[in-house]
């Protein structure tokens, strides 16, 4: 596996592959990798002969009171995992390579509407930071395919919309969430959980599944189901941010006749903000 830190080195290698007619699949990450990320790389390897991953803790997607400074940076361990997974090229730029001027002076990419709901309601600048860095990374890597985890379903929907609206020549592929045996979705932020919180954490998944079963059985009082689920999470020890039933494709509130639904949840447990989602139908 080759590791590069500059856009020029990255482009030289990707251009060589493209000249040889080889497609490139790309996995953007913020590092601190777990099995979920490695699964994304494995999926990317099945989709294209060449694979690139990036590790960049993107300051633009963190709010002023969020964990940017504390976010774990584990480049050596991450590199070893990516090499074992058979990745071809790791792009690990520094902040000034991606943002050569202060963040507030950089052009931003913002998708309308979708970023204002769910996580965006409590993290108002987060998704502009994500779409800005992902569009920059797409311009740097020029991948044919880009792979994202479904754990952050809202991010996946927003990136698909951005790629469609801006005619980006890249196919966006979503990969189902990898879970622990007790159902907890793998996340870099699970490392913030104490042993006691780790024991409580799967309640988020269990509550999503229980609500999905009731929707499948025909219950349609969405507001009552959401309120009940939030109360259950609170009594288990979470501080729920949201628990909402929405349409999977456009994240809008469903009508009674909508057959395809998805349930989205975010909740604080200690200093970890956990997110998850689960399909209905
Ligand atoms: O999902 C993430 O890890 C990040 O939001 C991403 C897509 C790598 C952009 O920084």
């Amino acid at each position: 596996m080759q590791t590069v830190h500059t856009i020029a080195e990255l482009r030289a290698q990707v251009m060589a592959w493209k000249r040889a007619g080889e497609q490139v699949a790309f996995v953007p990450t913020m590092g601190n990798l777990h099995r979920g990320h490695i699964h994304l790389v494995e999926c990317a390897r099945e989709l294209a002969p060449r694979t690139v991953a990036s590790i960049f803790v993107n300051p633009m997607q963190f709010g002023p009171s969020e964990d940017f400074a504390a976010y774990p940076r584990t480049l050596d361990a991450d590199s070893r995992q990516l090499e074992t997974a058979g990745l071809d090229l790791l792009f690990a730029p520094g902040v000034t390579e991606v943002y050569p001027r202060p963040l507030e002076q950089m052009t931003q990419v913002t998708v309308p509407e979708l970023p204002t709901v769910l996580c965006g309601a409590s993290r108002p600048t987060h998704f502009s930071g994500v779409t800005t860095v992902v569009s920059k990374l797409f311009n740097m890597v020029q991948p044919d395919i880009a792979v994202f985890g479904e754990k952050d379903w809202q991010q996946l929907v927003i990136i698909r919309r951005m790629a469609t609206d801006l005619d980006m020549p890249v196919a966006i592929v979503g990969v189902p969430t990898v879970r622990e045996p007790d159902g907890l979705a793998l996340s870099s932020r699970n490392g913030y959980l104490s042993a006691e919180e780790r024991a409580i954490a799967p309640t988020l998944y269990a509550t999503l599944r229980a609500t999905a079963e009731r929707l499948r059985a025909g219950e349609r009082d969405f507001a009552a189901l959401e309120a009940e689920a939030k109360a259950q999470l609170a009594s288990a020890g979470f501080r729920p941010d949201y628990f909402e039933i929405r349409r999977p494709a456009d994240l809008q509130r469903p009508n009674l006749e909508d057959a395809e639904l998805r349930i989205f949840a975010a909740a604080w447990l200690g200093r970890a903000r956990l997110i998850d989602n689960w399909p209905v139908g």
Side-chain angles (χ1 to χ4, degrees):
M1 182 184 79
Q2 196 185 341
T3 300
V4 298
H5 301 283
T6 67
I7 300 166
E9 293 167 294
L10 168 72
R11 284 225 173 110
Q13 180 57 81
V14 172
M15 294 289 274
W17 288 333
K18 296 229 162 170
R19 272 198 298 272
E22 293 179 311
Q23 286 212 322
V24 174
F26 175 47
V27 182
T29 82
M30 297 208 301
N32 194 26
L33 303 182
H34 50 65
R35 280 184 290 118
H37 294 110
I38 299 307
H39 182 56
L40 298 182
V41 172
E42 289 162 356
C43 291
R45 289 191 68 205
E46 285 177 12
L47 295 169
R50 294 294 180 181
T51 48
V52 176
S54 60
I55 293 183
F56 178 64
V57 185
N58 173 33
M60 199 184 273
Q61 70 190 73
F62 289 78
S65 59
E66 293 180 358
D67 57 347
F68 174 67
Y71 200 86
R73 274 105 170 142
T74 53
L75 187 59
D76 290 345
D78 293 346
S79 299
R80 283 194 292 276
Q81 289 193 71
L82 291 169
E83 177 136 41
T84 306
L87 184 81
D88 290 305
L89 189 148
L90 169 61
F91 177 48
V95 173
T96 52
E97 185 73 4
V98 178
Y99 299 119
R101 296 191 311 285
L103 292 189
E104 59 281 5
Q105 292 176 17
M106 296 294 301
T107 300
Q108 294 207 13
V109 177
T110 302
V111 171
E113 294 172 5
L114 293 171
T116 61
V117 300
L118 301 173
C119 284
S122 60
R123 306 183 74 194
T125 58
H126 171 68
F127 286 112
S128 288
V130 171
T131 42
T132 300
V133 82
V134 170
S135 53
K136 282 172 72 65
L137 289 166
F138 283 178
N139 285 334
M140 294 170 191
V141 178
Q142 303 195 3
D144 302 284
I145 298 160
V147 180
F148 293 85
E150 288 184 352
K151 184 173 78 74
D152 197 337
W153 184 276
Q154 184 176 16
Q155 170 173 281
L156 179 61
V157 169
I158 289 171
I159 287 168
R160 276 195 213 285
R161 178 72 61 84
M162 173 187 80
T164 303
D165 286 357
L166 298 182
D167 308 301
M168 294 175 163
V170 53
I172 308 297
V173 174
V175 172
T177 304
V178 179
R179 297 179 181 279
E180 299 286 5
D182 59 12
L184 177 66
L186 296 194
S187 163
S188 300
R189 290 187 169 102
N190 292 352
Y192 294 160
L193 298 170
S194 67
E196 195 188 332
E197 289 159 355
R198 174 63 189 81
I200 296 168
T203 307
L204 188 63
Y205 168 73
T207 310
L208 285 166
R209 294 216 51 176
T211 307
E213 280 313 311
R214 290 173 64 176
L215 286 162
R216 266 190 213 113
E219 285 192 48
R220 278 296 175 273
D221 188 341
F222 300 134
L225 286 165
E226 290 169 357
E228 201 180 313
K230 279 174 94 167
Q232 278 165 10
L233 290 173
S235 67
F238 289 86
R239 278 177 293 126
D241 182 352
Y242 60 80
F243 190 101
E244 294 184 16
I245 300 156
R246 291 196 171 246
R247 300 201 303 220
D250 61 7
L251 307 181
Q252 294 302 302
R253 294 277 188 191
N255 300 316
L256 288 178
E257 54 282 0
D258 278 320
E260 222 191 314
L261 305 171
R262 201 159 186 109
I263 315 172
F264 298 88
W268 287 91
L269 194 54
R271 67 187 190 95
R273 183 175 179 278
L274 304 180
I275 62 169
D276 204 348
N277 63 86
W278 191 256
V280 184

